[in-house]
Amino acid sequence: MKEAKFYENKGEYVFCVLCPHNCKIKNGSTGICKVRKNINGVLYSLNYEKITSVALDPIEKKPLFHFYPGTKIFSIGSFGCNFRCDYCQNYEIVYGENLAIDLSIEKIIQLEEESDSIGMAYTYNEPTIFYEMVEELAKEMKNRGKKNVLVTNGFINKEPLLNILPLIDAMNIDLKAMTDDFYKKICKGQLDPVLETIKLAASKTHVEVTTLLIDEYNTSEDEIEKLSYFLSNIDKNIVLHFSRYFPKHKMTKSATNLNTLIRAKEIAQRHLNYVYIGNVFGFDNSTYCPNCHEKLIDRNFKLEIVGIEKNRCIHCGLEIPVIY
Ligand code: SF4
C-alpha cells in the first residue's frame, strides 16, 4: 500500500482525479477501480507492489509491431481496472486480487535485469491504476537505459498522463469502439477521454492502437471508417491492430467472424498505412511498404526485417516508421 498521487482531500471525502471517473470517495471506501482507498482522508494505492502476472513476452504480443520488432519485453501486471468490460479478456487477472504476490520495486527490477529484455511493459490489467508503481519502475528503467511500454485503455486524465509520458517509450492504447454508447453500456467508461489520450500520447511517444472487433457491436462499415479516419487525422502511420474477440467473462456471443476482420482491415487501409489482424492463427501479419507493396518485415515464420534499411524501404525509398 502506498499513498496515491492525484487526489484532493475535502472534509470526509477525497476526490481522486487520476482517471475521468473522478471518484468522490468517503472514508473507508474505494473508487470505481476498487484499488484506491480513502483511509482517514488519505488516498492509498492498494495494488502497489502487488503482482499477479510476470512474463517475458515477445514485443509483438503487446501488440507492438513497429517498436523493436523481434525483441522480448519483461511484462508485469497487478489487479483492478477502471472499466468493467462485459467481454474482459483478462478478467482472471483483473479481478485476481487473491492471486497477487508481494514483489518489491527492487525485486521486480532485479528480475527484469536477469531477463533478456529491452525493458518493462505494464500490462495484463489496467496499468494507469497502479500509477505509482509504474512511475517508480519506469524511472528505474529509464536510468538503466531500458524501455518502458504501457498497454492501456487510455482512460486517464490529462495531468497524470502528461506527467508519465516522458518516461514512456511506447504505448498500445485500446480504442474499443467509436460510440459512447458502447463505452457506457459494455465497458462502463466513456469514449471522448480515450480519444484525447490517443491524440496527446501520439504527439509525445510511439503509439499503436488495438480494437477488439465483436460482430454487430462495433463492426459496421461506418464505424470502422470513422475509427480509421480519426486515427489518420492524427497520423496515417499510426499502427492499428484489429483483434479477434473470443467469448469470455460475461459475454457469450460467438467469436468474431474471420471475414469481419478481413473486411475491417480493407476499410481501414483506405485511411491508414499499417493495419494488422491479431488473435488469428496462421494469418499473414508481415509488414508491407504502403507505396511499392514489397515485404518489409516478415512475420510468417521467424521474424525478420527483410526490406528496411536506415528506416527506408530498400525498394522504393519510402520512409518507414519502425523503431528498431
Ligand atoms: S483511478 Fe479509480 S478511484 Fe481514481 S478516479 Fe479512476 S476509478 Fe476512481
Side-chain angles (χ1 to χ4, degrees):
M1 202 160 77
K2 171 143 188 150
E3 184 175 355
K5 297 182 81 169
F6 304 105
Y7 75 96
E8 292 159 24
N9 177 326
K10 288 186 188 160
E12 65 172 306
Y13 290 100
V14 302
F15 292 79
C16 178
V17 289
L18 177 58
C19 90
H21 285 311
N22 296 318
C23 295
K24 177 182 175 182
I25 310 170
K26 69 173 189 237
N27 189 19
S29 297
T30 55
I32 288 171
C33 61
K34 305 261 188 241
V35 293
R36 298 173 90 77
K37 184 172 186 180
N38 175 358
I39 302 176
N40 297 325
V42 178
L43 189 67
Y44 287 94
S45 164
L46 302 181
N47 52 7
Y48 179 78
E49 295 186 327
K50 303 270 184 198
I51 301 295
T52 55
S53 329
V54 175
L56 183 63
D57 283 337
I59 193 82
E60 283 75 17
K61 203 175 158 188
K62 297 302 105 191
L64 289 173
F65 275 21
H66 287 210
F67 184 78
Y68 296 96
T71 60
K72 294 211 166 73
I73 189 146
F74 187 81
S75 303
I76 60 159
S78 185
F79 59 89
C81 190
N82 49 359
F83 280 0
R84 291 287 177 275
C85 300
D86 286 351
Y87 56 88
C88 181
Q89 305 282 295
N90 272 348
Y91 76 96
E92 301 93 336
I93 292 171
V94 168
Y95 302 104
E97 184 171 355
N98 297 337
L99 305 174
I101 57 163
D102 293 321
L103 269 188
S104 67
I105 298 288
E106 294 72 28
K107 185 68 189 169
I108 299 168
I109 297 283
Q110 185 196 332
L111 291 172
E112 190 283 332
E113 290 270 301
E114 288 166 6
S115 71
D116 177 24
S117 163
I118 61 166
M120 203 166 306
Y122 312 97
T123 177
Y124 304 130
N125 72 312
E126 176 49 44
T128 55
I129 55 141
F130 57 89
Y131 190 99
E132 295 72 19
M133 184 160 65
V134 171
E135 189 178 32
E136 284 183 37
L137 288 166
K139 279 182 184 161
E140 285 294 331
M141 285 288 105
K142 259 279 185 269
N143 289 340
R144 289 167 159 78
K146 294 284 189 85
K147 307 297 175 198
N148 288 302
V149 166
L150 207 56
V151 182
T152 173
N153 62 19
F155 198 64
I156 180 170
N157 280 331
K158 189 174 174 186
E159 190 192 338
L161 177 62
L162 279 172
N163 179 65
I164 201 88
L165 273 172
L167 297 171
I168 302 299
D169 299 284
M171 290 169 84
N172 187 293
I173 305 175
D174 270 352
L175 179 51
K176 293 172 186 290
M178 277 307 271
T179 63
D180 204 42
D181 202 46
F182 182 101
Y183 267 88
K184 287 208 167 101
K185 284 189 184 145
I186 309 291
C187 302
K188 315 294 177 286
Q190 303 153 36
L191 170 63
D192 282 349
V194 178
L195 299 180
E196 288 306 312
T197 293
I198 293 172
K199 276 194 248 173
L200 183 55
S203 71
K204 310 265 183 203
T205 192
H206 176 79
V207 168
E208 302 191 15
V209 169
T210 297
T211 301
L212 187 90
L213 291 178
I214 310 170
D215 281 312
E216 293 145 34
Y217 280 76
N218 59 358
T219 54
S220 73
E221 178 155 350
D222 186 47
E223 188 161 349
I224 303 294
E225 274 278 354
K226 219 169 146 189
L227 187 147
S228 41
Y229 183 70
F230 164 78
L231 294 176
S232 72
N233 270 339
I234 301 171
D235 184 349
K236 276 175 78 72
N237 288 327
I238 282 193
V239 175
L240 174 61
H241 303 264
F242 285 124
S243 187
R244 189 181 194 199
Y245 146 90
F246 287 94
K248 232 175 169 188
H249 196 34
K250 294 178 185 166
M251 198 175 267
T252 52
K253 188 173 175 50
S254 50
T256 317
N257 192 309
L258 286 185
N259 289 331
T260 305
L261 292 147
I262 293 165
R263 179 78 185 122
K265 181 175 174 177
E266 284 168 5
I267 296 167
Q269 279 178 325
R270 295 176 195 155
H271 303 288
L272 295 166
N273 285 333
Y274 304 98
V275 184
Y276 301 98
I277 291 178
N279 256 357
V280 180
F281 181 71
F283 204 87
D284 178 16
N285 261 330
S286 298
T287 301
Y288 293 89
C289 175
N291 182 46
C292 70
H293 308 294
E294 292 290 339
K295 192 180 279 189
L296 303 175
I297 304 174
D298 191 344
R299 291 194 181 83
N300 284 322
F301 301 105
K302 183 174 167 286
L303 188 141
E304 204 177 345
I305 298 176
V306 292
I308 307 174
E309 247 178 47
K310 295 184 181 157
N311 277 101
R312 293 202 173 267
C313 169
I314 59 171
H315 306 282
C316 71
L318 184 76
E319 195 172 342
I320 306 296
V322 174
I323 301 167
Y324 61 101

PDB file of all heavy atoms in Angstrom, residues 6 15-25 30-37 43 81-82 128-129 155 157, ligand 1:
ATOM      1  N   PHE A   6      -2.431  12.302  -7.219  1.00  0.00           N
ATOM      2  CA  PHE A   6      -3.585  12.849  -7.941  1.00  0.00           C
ATOM      3  C   PHE A   6      -4.906  12.682  -7.191  1.00  0.00           C
ATOM      4  O   PHE A   6      -5.815  12.006  -7.646  1.00  0.00           O
ATOM      5  CB  PHE A   6      -3.678  12.249  -9.359  1.00  0.00           C
ATOM      6  CG  PHE A   6      -2.419  12.456 -10.146  1.00  0.00           C
ATOM      7  CD1 PHE A   6      -1.545  11.404 -10.366  1.00  0.00           C
ATOM      8  CD2 PHE A   6      -2.074  13.709 -10.607  1.00  0.00           C
ATOM      9  CE1 PHE A   6      -0.353  11.591 -11.044  1.00  0.00           C
ATOM     10  CE2 PHE A   6      -0.888  13.920 -11.283  1.00  0.00           C
ATOM     11  CZ  PHE A   6      -0.028  12.859 -11.504  1.00  0.00           C
ATOM     12  N   PHE A  15     -11.238  13.221  -3.393  1.00  0.00           N
ATOM     13  CA  PHE A  15     -11.606  13.231  -4.799  1.00  0.00           C
ATOM     14  C   PHE A  15     -10.403  12.744  -5.593  1.00  0.00           C
ATOM     15  O   PHE A  15      -9.373  13.414  -5.629  1.00  0.00           O
ATOM     16  CB  PHE A  15     -12.005  14.645  -5.239  1.00  0.00           C
ATOM     17  CG  PHE A  15     -13.283  15.116  -4.597  1.00  0.00           C
ATOM     18  CD1 PHE A  15     -13.274  15.594  -3.290  1.00  0.00           C
ATOM     19  CD2 PHE A  15     -14.481  15.042  -5.278  1.00  0.00           C
ATOM     20  CE1 PHE A  15     -14.456  15.998  -2.676  1.00  0.00           C
ATOM     21  CE2 PHE A  15     -15.670  15.446  -4.675  1.00  0.00           C
ATOM     22  CZ  PHE A  15     -15.650  15.930  -3.369  1.00  0.00           C
ATOM     23  N   CYS A  16     -10.535  11.557  -6.181  1.00  0.00           N
ATOM     24  CA  CYS A  16      -9.436  11.023  -6.993  1.00  0.00           C
ATOM     25  C   CYS A  16      -9.557  11.607  -8.397  1.00  0.00           C
ATOM     26  O   CYS A  16     -10.630  11.547  -9.011  1.00  0.00           O
ATOM     27  CB  CYS A  16      -9.500   9.492  -7.049  1.00  0.00           C
ATOM     28  SG  CYS A  16      -8.202   8.794  -8.090  1.00  0.00           S
ATOM     29  N   VAL A  17      -8.465  12.180  -8.896  1.00  0.00           N
ATOM     30  CA  VAL A  17      -8.512  12.797 -10.231  1.00  0.00           C
ATOM     31  C   VAL A  17      -7.538  12.087 -11.178  1.00  0.00           C
ATOM     32  O   VAL A  17      -7.030  12.677 -12.115  1.00  0.00           O
ATOM     33  CB  VAL A  17      -8.229  14.316 -10.172  1.00  0.00           C
ATOM     34  CG1 VAL A  17      -9.396  15.033  -9.538  1.00  0.00           C
ATOM     35  CG2 VAL A  17      -6.933  14.627  -9.415  1.00  0.00           C
ATOM     36  N   LEU A  18      -7.285  10.809 -10.899  1.00  0.00           N
ATOM     37  CA  LEU A  18      -6.381  10.054 -11.776  1.00  0.00           C
ATOM     38  C   LEU A  18      -7.059   9.742 -13.111  1.00  0.00           C
ATOM     39  O   LEU A  18      -6.445   9.855 -14.167  1.00  0.00           O
ATOM     40  CB  LEU A  18      -5.940   8.762 -11.078  1.00  0.00           C
ATOM     41  CG  LEU A  18      -5.050   7.821 -11.880  1.00  0.00           C
ATOM     42  CD1 LEU A  18      -3.767   8.498 -12.348  1.00  0.00           C
ATOM     43  CD2 LEU A  18      -4.706   6.575 -11.058  1.00  0.00           C
ATOM     44  N   CYS A  19      -8.315   9.325 -13.056  1.00  0.00           N
ATOM     45  CA  CYS A  19      -8.990   8.989 -14.314  1.00  0.00           C
ATOM     46  C   CYS A  19     -10.304   9.749 -14.421  1.00  0.00           C
ATOM     47  O   CYS A  19     -10.780  10.312 -13.434  1.00  0.00           O
ATOM     48  CB  CYS A  19      -9.160   7.481 -14.450  1.00  0.00           C
ATOM     49  SG  CYS A  19     -10.684   6.806 -13.789  1.00  0.00           S
ATOM     50  N   PRO A  20     -10.909   9.780 -15.606  1.00  0.00           N
ATOM     51  CA  PRO A  20     -12.098  10.617 -15.797  1.00  0.00           C
ATOM     52  C   PRO A  20     -13.338  10.193 -15.011  1.00  0.00           C
ATOM     53  O   PRO A  20     -14.347  10.886 -15.075  1.00  0.00           O
ATOM     54  CB  PRO A  20     -12.348  10.520 -17.315  1.00  0.00           C
ATOM     55  CG  PRO A  20     -11.025  10.194 -17.898  1.00  0.00           C
ATOM     56  CD  PRO A  20     -10.377   9.289 -16.898  1.00  0.00           C
ATOM     57  N   HIS A  21     -13.287   9.107 -14.260  1.00  0.00           N
ATOM     58  CA  HIS A  21     -14.395   8.826 -13.347  1.00  0.00           C
ATOM     59  C   HIS A  21     -14.427   9.861 -12.214  1.00  0.00           C
ATOM     60  O   HIS A  21     -15.485  10.101 -11.626  1.00  0.00           O
ATOM     61  CB  HIS A  21     -14.266   7.425 -12.729  1.00  0.00           C
ATOM     62  CG  HIS A  21     -14.608   6.306 -13.661  1.00  0.00           C
ATOM     63  ND1 HIS A  21     -15.753   6.279 -14.412  1.00  0.00           N
ATOM     64  CD2 HIS A  21     -13.947   5.153 -13.963  1.00  0.00           C
ATOM     65  CE1 HIS A  21     -15.800   5.168 -15.127  1.00  0.00           C
ATOM     66  NE2 HIS A  21     -14.713   4.474 -14.883  1.00  0.00           N
ATOM     67  N   ASN A  22     -13.260  10.447 -11.902  1.00  0.00           N
ATOM     68  CA  ASN A  22     -13.164  11.475 -10.861  1.00  0.00           C
ATOM     69  C   ASN A  22     -13.981  11.097  -9.611  1.00  0.00           C
ATOM     70  O   ASN A  22     -14.887  11.831  -9.197  1.00  0.00           O
ATOM     71  CB  ASN A  22     -13.619  12.838 -11.411  1.00  0.00           C
ATOM     72  CG  ASN A  22     -12.697  13.316 -12.515  1.00  0.00           C
ATOM     73  OD1 ASN A  22     -11.469  13.200 -12.422  1.00  0.00           O
ATOM     74  ND2 ASN A  22     -13.263  13.843 -13.590  1.00  0.00           N
ATOM     75  N   CYS A  23     -13.643   9.969  -9.026  1.00  0.00           N
ATOM     76  CA  CYS A  23     -14.455   9.425  -7.931  1.00  0.00           C
ATOM     77  C   CYS A  23     -14.412  10.301  -6.678  1.00  0.00           C
ATOM     78  O   CYS A  23     -13.348  10.788  -6.271  1.00  0.00           O
ATOM     79  CB  CYS A  23     -13.957   8.033  -7.550  1.00  0.00           C
ATOM     80  SG  CYS A  23     -14.164   6.819  -8.840  1.00  0.00           S
ATOM     81  N   LYS A  24     -15.574  10.451  -6.085  1.00  0.00           N
ATOM     82  CA  LYS A  24     -15.696  11.076  -4.761  1.00  0.00           C
ATOM     83  C   LYS A  24     -15.778   9.915  -3.769  1.00  0.00           C
ATOM     84  O   LYS A  24     -16.714   9.105  -3.816  1.00  0.00           O
ATOM     85  CB  LYS A  24     -16.973  11.910  -4.733  1.00  0.00           C
ATOM     86  CG  LYS A  24     -17.290  12.561  -3.419  1.00  0.00           C
ATOM     87  CD  LYS A  24     -18.621  13.309  -3.539  1.00  0.00           C
ATOM     88  CE  LYS A  24     -19.045  13.875  -2.205  1.00  0.00           C
ATOM     89  NZ  LYS A  24     -20.364  14.555  -2.302  1.00  0.00           N
ATOM     90  N   ILE A  25     -14.774   9.803  -2.889  1.00  0.00           N
ATOM     91  CA  ILE A  25     -14.651   8.568  -2.087  1.00  0.00           C
ATOM     92  C   ILE A  25     -14.730   8.894  -0.605  1.00  0.00           C
ATOM     93  O   ILE A  25     -13.918   9.669  -0.085  1.00  0.00           O
ATOM     94  CB  ILE A  25     -13.297   7.871  -2.394  1.00  0.00           C
ATOM     95  CG1 ILE A  25     -13.099   7.719  -3.917  1.00  0.00           C
ATOM     96  CG2 ILE A  25     -13.225   6.516  -1.705  1.00  0.00           C
ATOM     97  CD1 ILE A  25     -11.698   7.272  -4.301  1.00  0.00           C
ATOM     98  N   THR A  30     -13.508   2.580  -1.487  1.00  0.00           N
ATOM     99  CA  THR A  30     -12.625   2.666  -2.654  1.00  0.00           C
ATOM    100  C   THR A  30     -13.377   3.336  -3.800  1.00  0.00           C
ATOM    101  O   THR A  30     -14.608   3.436  -3.778  1.00  0.00           O
ATOM    102  CB  THR A  30     -12.189   1.259  -3.125  1.00  0.00           C
ATOM    103  OG1 THR A  30     -13.357   0.476  -3.363  1.00  0.00           O
ATOM    104  CG2 THR A  30     -11.313   0.563  -2.108  1.00  0.00           C
ATOM    105  N   GLY A  31     -12.606   3.742  -4.822  1.00  0.00           N
ATOM    106  CA  GLY A  31     -13.221   4.274  -6.046  1.00  0.00           C
ATOM    107  C   GLY A  31     -13.717   3.137  -6.924  1.00  0.00           C
ATOM    108  O   GLY A  31     -13.653   1.953  -6.538  1.00  0.00           O
ATOM    109  N   ILE A  32     -14.197   3.504  -8.110  1.00  0.00           N
ATOM    110  CA  ILE A  32     -14.767   2.513  -9.040  1.00  0.00           C
ATOM    111  C   ILE A  32     -13.765   1.399  -9.355  1.00  0.00           C
ATOM    112  O   ILE A  32     -14.135   0.239  -9.503  1.00  0.00           O
ATOM    113  CB  ILE A  32     -15.237   3.237 -10.325  1.00  0.00           C
ATOM    114  CG1 ILE A  32     -16.490   4.062 -10.011  1.00  0.00           C
ATOM    115  CG2 ILE A  32     -15.502   2.259 -11.468  1.00  0.00           C
ATOM    116  CD1 ILE A  32     -16.934   4.983 -11.133  1.00  0.00           C
ATOM    117  N   CYS A  33     -12.491   1.754  -9.419  1.00  0.00           N
ATOM    118  CA  CYS A  33     -11.463   0.758  -9.756  1.00  0.00           C
ATOM    119  C   CYS A  33     -11.219  -0.243  -8.635  1.00  0.00           C
ATOM    120  O   CYS A  33     -10.565  -1.266  -8.840  1.00  0.00           O
ATOM    121  CB  CYS A  33     -10.156   1.454 -10.114  1.00  0.00           C
ATOM    122  SG  CYS A  33      -9.511   2.444  -8.749  1.00  0.00           S
ATOM    123  N   LYS A  34     -11.685   0.062  -7.424  1.00  0.00           N
ATOM    124  CA  LYS A  34     -11.544  -0.806  -6.232  1.00  0.00           C
ATOM    125  C   LYS A  34     -10.108  -0.930  -5.723  1.00  0.00           C
ATOM    126  O   LYS A  34      -9.847  -1.759  -4.845  1.00  0.00           O
ATOM    127  CB  LYS A  34     -12.074  -2.234  -6.501  1.00  0.00           C
ATOM    128  CG  LYS A  34     -13.504  -2.259  -6.999  1.00  0.00           C
ATOM    129  CD  LYS A  34     -14.438  -2.559  -5.840  1.00  0.00           C
ATOM    130  CE  LYS A  34     -15.843  -2.793  -6.303  1.00  0.00           C
ATOM    131  NZ  LYS A  34     -16.807  -1.862  -5.767  1.00  0.00           N
ATOM    132  N   VAL A  35      -9.196  -0.152  -6.276  1.00  0.00           N
ATOM    133  CA  VAL A  35      -7.803  -0.286  -5.819  1.00  0.00           C
ATOM    134  C   VAL A  35      -7.239   1.030  -5.280  1.00  0.00           C
ATOM    135  O   VAL A  35      -6.054   1.131  -5.021  1.00  0.00           O
ATOM    136  CB  VAL A  35      -6.871  -0.828  -6.942  1.00  0.00           C
ATOM    137  CG1 VAL A  35      -7.233  -2.259  -7.283  1.00  0.00           C
ATOM    138  CG2 VAL A  35      -6.902   0.058  -8.175  1.00  0.00           C
ATOM    139  N   ARG A  36      -8.098   2.036  -5.104  1.00  0.00           N
ATOM    140  CA  ARG A  36      -7.660   3.295  -4.494  1.00  0.00           C
ATOM    141  C   ARG A  36      -8.657   3.615  -3.378  1.00  0.00           C
ATOM    142  O   ARG A  36      -9.845   3.782  -3.622  1.00  0.00           O
ATOM    143  CB  ARG A  36      -7.562   4.397  -5.553  1.00  0.00           C
ATOM    144  CG  ARG A  36      -6.517   4.001  -6.607  1.00  0.00           C
ATOM    145  CD  ARG A  36      -6.480   4.942  -7.779  1.00  0.00           C
ATOM    146  NE  ARG A  36      -5.542   6.049  -7.599  1.00  0.00           N
ATOM    147  CZ  ARG A  36      -4.227   5.946  -7.729  1.00  0.00           C
ATOM    148  NH1 ARG A  36      -3.664   4.778  -8.003  1.00  0.00           N
ATOM    149  NH2 ARG A  36      -3.453   6.996  -7.578  1.00  0.00           N
ATOM    150  N   LYS A  37      -8.111   3.644  -2.145  1.00  0.00           N
ATOM    151  CA  LYS A  37      -8.981   3.667  -0.964  1.00  0.00           C
ATOM    152  C   LYS A  37      -8.702   4.880  -0.079  1.00  0.00           C
ATOM    153  O   LYS A  37      -7.536   5.209   0.170  1.00  0.00           O
ATOM    154  CB  LYS A  37      -8.756   2.363  -0.160  1.00  0.00           C
ATOM    155  CG  LYS A  37      -9.658   2.215   1.038  1.00  0.00           C
ATOM    156  CD  LYS A  37      -9.512   0.824   1.660  1.00  0.00           C
ATOM    157  CE  LYS A  37     -10.531   0.646   2.783  1.00  0.00           C
ATOM    158  NZ  LYS A  37     -10.418  -0.685   3.388  1.00  0.00           N
ATOM    159  N   LEU A  43      -5.644   9.050   0.393  1.00  0.00           N
ATOM    160  CA  LEU A  43      -5.959   8.057  -0.639  1.00  0.00           C
ATOM    161  C   LEU A  43      -4.750   7.129  -0.822  1.00  0.00           C
ATOM    162  O   LEU A  43      -3.620   7.603  -0.988  1.00  0.00           O
ATOM    163  CB  LEU A  43      -6.301   8.750  -1.970  1.00  0.00           C
ATOM    164  CG  LEU A  43      -6.851   7.810  -3.054  1.00  0.00           C
ATOM    165  CD1 LEU A  43      -8.220   7.261  -2.673  1.00  0.00           C
ATOM    166  CD2 LEU A  43      -6.941   8.522  -4.408  1.00  0.00           C
ATOM    167  N   CYS A  81      -9.230  -2.593 -12.330  1.00  0.00           N
ATOM    168  CA  CYS A  81      -9.441  -1.867 -13.587  1.00  0.00           C
ATOM    169  C   CYS A  81     -10.471  -0.768 -13.341  1.00  0.00           C
ATOM    170  O   CYS A  81     -11.339  -0.903 -12.473  1.00  0.00           O
ATOM    171  CB  CYS A  81      -9.932  -2.809 -14.690  1.00  0.00           C
ATOM    172  SG  CYS A  81      -9.925  -2.020 -16.318  1.00  0.00           S
ATOM    173  N   ASN A  82     -10.367   0.302 -14.143  1.00  0.00           N
ATOM    174  CA  ASN A  82     -11.369   1.374 -14.035  1.00  0.00           C
ATOM    175  C   ASN A  82     -12.488   1.204 -15.062  1.00  0.00           C
ATOM    176  O   ASN A  82     -13.381   2.034 -15.142  1.00  0.00           O
ATOM    177  CB  ASN A  82     -10.727   2.763 -14.132  1.00  0.00           C
ATOM    178  CG  ASN A  82      -9.777   2.892 -15.304  1.00  0.00           C
ATOM    179  OD1 ASN A  82      -9.565   1.943 -16.044  1.00  0.00           O
ATOM    180  ND2 ASN A  82      -9.201   4.071 -15.466  1.00  0.00           N
ATOM    181  N   THR A 128      -2.646   2.130 -15.634  1.00  0.00           N
ATOM    182  CA  THR A 128      -2.727   3.509 -15.121  1.00  0.00           C
ATOM    183  C   THR A 128      -3.294   3.532 -13.702  1.00  0.00           C
ATOM    184  O   THR A 128      -3.078   4.504 -12.979  1.00  0.00           O
ATOM    185  CB  THR A 128      -3.595   4.402 -16.046  1.00  0.00           C
ATOM    186  OG1 THR A 128      -4.878   3.802 -16.198  1.00  0.00           O
ATOM    187  CG2 THR A 128      -2.947   4.577 -17.395  1.00  0.00           C
ATOM    188  N   ILE A 129      -3.985   2.454 -13.291  1.00  0.00           N
ATOM    189  CA  ILE A 129      -4.500   2.457 -11.913  1.00  0.00           C
ATOM    190  C   ILE A 129      -3.530   1.777 -10.942  1.00  0.00           C
ATOM    191  O   ILE A 129      -3.850   1.623  -9.768  1.00  0.00           O
ATOM    192  CB  ILE A 129      -5.925   1.875 -11.819  1.00  0.00           C
ATOM    193  CG1 ILE A 129      -6.005   0.477 -12.420  1.00  0.00           C
ATOM    194  CG2 ILE A 129      -6.945   2.788 -12.479  1.00  0.00           C
ATOM    195  CD1 ILE A 129      -6.864  -0.428 -11.644  1.00  0.00           C
ATOM    196  N   PHE A 155      -7.892   5.497 -20.463  1.00  0.00           N
ATOM    197  CA  PHE A 155      -8.863   6.250 -19.667  1.00  0.00           C
ATOM    198  C   PHE A 155      -8.148   6.881 -18.479  1.00  0.00           C
ATOM    199  O   PHE A 155      -8.179   6.370 -17.357  1.00  0.00           O
ATOM    200  CB  PHE A 155      -9.987   5.313 -19.221  1.00  0.00           C
ATOM    201  CG  PHE A 155     -11.234   6.017 -18.782  1.00  0.00           C
ATOM    202  CD1 PHE A 155     -11.971   6.784 -19.671  1.00  0.00           C
ATOM    203  CD2 PHE A 155     -11.700   5.898 -17.475  1.00  0.00           C
ATOM    204  CE1 PHE A 155     -13.139   7.421 -19.272  1.00  0.00           C
ATOM    205  CE2 PHE A 155     -12.861   6.532 -17.067  1.00  0.00           C
ATOM    206  CZ  PHE A 155     -13.583   7.291 -17.962  1.00  0.00           C
ATOM    207  N   ASN A 157      -6.771  10.916 -16.880  1.00  0.00           N
ATOM    208  CA  ASN A 157      -6.875  12.377 -17.017  1.00  0.00           C
ATOM    209  C   ASN A 157      -5.580  12.967 -17.570  1.00  0.00           C
ATOM    210  O   ASN A 157      -4.514  12.348 -17.511  1.00  0.00           O
ATOM    211  CB  ASN A 157      -7.208  13.004 -15.661  1.00  0.00           C
ATOM    212  CG  ASN A 157      -8.687  12.890 -15.333  1.00  0.00           C
ATOM    213  OD1 ASN A 157      -9.531  12.851 -16.228  1.00  0.00           O
ATOM    214  ND2 ASN A 157      -9.013  12.823 -14.050  1.00  0.00           N
TER     215      ASN A 157
HETATM  216  S1  SF4 B   1      -8.417   5.803 -10.627  1.00  0.00           S
HETATM  217 FE1  SF4 B   1     -10.006   4.637  -9.527  1.00  0.00          FE
HETATM  218  S2  SF4 B   1     -10.530   5.873  -7.744  1.00  0.00           S
HETATM  219 FE2  SF4 B   1      -9.414   7.190  -9.170  1.00  0.00          FE
HETATM  220  S3  SF4 B   1     -10.998   8.232 -10.374  1.00  0.00           S
HETATM  221 FE3  SF4 B   1     -10.398   6.411 -11.527  1.00  0.00          FE
HETATM  222  S4  SF4 B   1     -11.787   4.766 -10.883  1.00  0.00           S
HETATM  223 FE4  SF4 B   1     -11.971   6.425  -9.392  1.00  0.00          FE
END
